[in-house]
Amino acid sequence: MTPDSRIFVAGHNGMVGSALVRSLRRGGFDHLILKSKAELDLTRQEEVERFYAQEKPEFVFIAAAKVGGLMANKTYRADFITTNLQIQANLIHGAHQAGVSKLLFMASSCIYPRECPQPMNEGHLWSGYLEPTNSPYAVAKLAGIEMCRAYHDQHGARFFSVIPCNLYGQNDNYHPENSHVMAALISKVHRARTEQQPSVLFWGTGTPRRELLYVDDLADASVWLMQHYEQPDPVNIGYGTDHSIRELIETVCDVLGYTGRIEFDASKPDGVMRKLIDSSRMQALGWKPATTLREGIVKSYADYLQRVATPS
Ligand SMILES: NC(=O)c1ccc[n+]([C@@H]2O[C@H](COP(=O)([O-])OP(=O)(O)OC[C@H]3O[C@@H](n4cnc5c(N)ncnc54)[C@H](OP(=O)(O)O)[C@@H]3O)[C@@H](O)[C@H]2O)c1
């Protein structure tokens, strides 16, 4: 990939896609091809084929997907599998037909089996049953990984996948029903602080552990892999260590300046106790995340205040 390369970032308005655009621009890659969903609906094969023929991208990052929280995944099961399979099939097969030089497919750590040993390494893929609540989404993501490998095996295509852990950061989704763990904690603690609540109550015991990576670190790692990685094997990209929910909450409270009591309702479910991916394949390539949890929360909260909240 050179500064003149024509690079398509699919899903550039999303959290991951926008971080990829920032990372590419920081790296001096200015020939970016960016299409909103309104300009190019990636579920439509003919539109995607026409796009590839006209724009002739040399490198493709697939960060476009139908994503959602627990409720959305439970309710719109058919949409989650069909839309994601369509987007991926059109982009991956189309890239092969159009002679794209290299392609990166963004998967997700929800593709690991529900009972996976921790930390989860790439060898654990396909080794057990998926979490049923989001299995349509996970099956689509597994199919994307398999497609990259199949086009490599059959056609020698330089297509590969990355598997990020939970992400947070700029452009995160703070919707009350669709947000991920860090976005949910930030908006809850922000409300407690602005409303001067004496305490803030969280579900569960606070003991489950979660791994969180700042989205710009994922983007930098992905851009680096696009330049240097030449294997078909998927690569986990995680922070490397996890934190208890209590630790995450305490750090969020500290950054946001909330001094009320933190309380837990242990009668409510904890969810999965641990979800840590093994990033040793990525680390062996010389990569490590640049953003500490605290730095990431500071940046995320600045973005939250600017985009989402009315500053108090
Ligand atoms: N967020 C995380 O914590 C996380 C963790 C691990 C992996 N990932 C993976 O990273 C990828 C991106 O996630 P994200 O959090 O960035 O999601 P996001 O913020 O919802 O962004 C998804 C993007 O895809 C675009 N898109 C959806 N359907 C499309 C279509 N039919 N045609 C064209 N564009 C379409 C959306 O465009 P519109 O905005 O126009 O709808 C949006 O820009 C996903 O594959 C996800 O599995 C995310």
Side-chain angles (χ1 to χ4, degrees):
M1 210 159 72
T2 69
D4 290 334
S5 299
R6 297 175 60 74
I7 304 167
F8 175 41
V9 180
H12 73 285
N13 286 321
M15 174 161 79
V16 172
S18 58
L20 285 168
V21 169
R22 288 194 294 279
S23 176
L24 286 162
R25 290 201 168 127
R26 275 197 302 275
F29 301 102
D30 291 324
H31 288 221
L32 305 186
I33 304 166
L34 309 173
K35 297 278 178 194
S36 69
K37 186 173 159 188
E39 292 170 303
L40 173 62
D41 183 346
L42 297 168
T43 62
R44 298 184 180 276
Q45 186 175 4
E46 277 181 23
E47 281 186 36
V48 175
E49 284 176 354
R50 200 175 315 123
F51 161 79
Y52 271 129
Q54 280 169 358
E55 299 286 349
K56 300 186 174 39
E58 299 164 82
F59 296 85
V60 173
F61 290 86
I62 304 184
K66 179 174 177 61
V67 301
L70 195 73
M71 272 315 288
N73 269 279
K74 273 174 86 166
T75 313
Y76 304 109
R77 295 174 71 77
D79 296 353
F80 272 90
I81 189 161
T82 302
T83 304
N84 285 308
L85 285 173
Q86 286 172 327
I87 291 174
Q88 298 160 203
N90 292 341
L91 283 174
I92 295 172
H93 181 64
H96 162 63
Q97 285 181 313
V100 165
S101 174
K102 205 164 175 184
L103 177 146
L104 179 153
F105 172 69
M106 199 61 73
S108 162
S109 58
C110 71
I111 61 178
Y112 282 105
R114 186 176 46 168
E115 309 289 346
C116 195
Q118 303 288 318
M120 305 180 286
N121 70 51
E122 297 87 345
H124 289 126
L125 291 173
W126 310 101
S127 65
Y129 290 109
L130 298 167
E131 163 59 41
T133 42
N134 61 3
S135 53
Y137 180 75
V139 165
K141 289 278 162 195
L142 284 167
I145 291 184
E146 196 67 4
M147 279 189 81
C148 288
R149 157 108 37 205
Y151 278 80
H152 168 271
D153 292 349
Q154 186 177 337
H155 301 293
R158 295 156 77 211
F159 297 175
F160 69 101
S161 309
V162 302
I163 308 171
C165 67
N166 288 319
L167 304 169
Y168 69 108
Q170 201 170 325
N171 282 335
D172 207 344
N173 176 1
Y174 288 91
H175 189 281
E177 281 161 23
N178 268 336
S179 55
H180 293 120
V181 58
M182 183 56 77
L185 297 183
I186 287 176
S187 51
K188 187 159 187 164
V189 174
H190 171 81
R191 197 175 330 115
R193 187 178 68 81
T194 49
E195 294 172 5
Q196 297 183 332
Q197 297 168 10
S199 64
V200 58
L201 182 67
F202 295 90
W203 275 28
T205 59
T207 54
R209 303 185 70 79
R210 295 289 180 265
E211 181 183 20
L212 286 156
L213 180 68
Y214 191 66
V215 69
D216 286 70
D217 286 350
L218 168 73
D220 288 346
S222 302
V223 170
W224 188 89
L225 286 171
M226 188 64 115
Q227 293 171 276
H228 302 287
Y229 185 67
E230 293 298 340
Q231 304 297 321
D233 306 314
V235 188
N236 279 346
I237 305 181
Y239 187 66
T241 51
D242 53 6
H243 298 85
S244 72
I245 295 287
R246 176 183 283 280
E247 287 165 349
L248 294 175
I249 293 168
E250 285 170 352
T251 313
V252 170
C253 288
D254 197 32
V255 170
L256 271 61
Y258 177 70
T259 52
R261 283 188 317 282
I262 298 168
E263 293 176 349
F264 290 95
D265 180 354
S267 70
K268 294 288 194 301
D270 261 336
V272 183
M273 286 311 285
R274 196 165 193 211
K275 235 186 120 188
L276 177 66
I277 60 173
D278 178 346
S279 299
S280 48
R281 184 175 284 175
M282 191 67 207
Q283 287 159 1
L285 297 169
W287 177 85
K288 61 178 190 326
T291 313
T292 64
L293 178 69
R294 194 185 171 81
E295 288 165 349
I297 295 173
V298 169
K299 290 182 188 177
S300 302
Y301 189 49
D303 174 58
Y304 175 86
L305 288 176
Q306 197 190 341
R307 278 191 315 115
V308 186
T310 311
S312 55

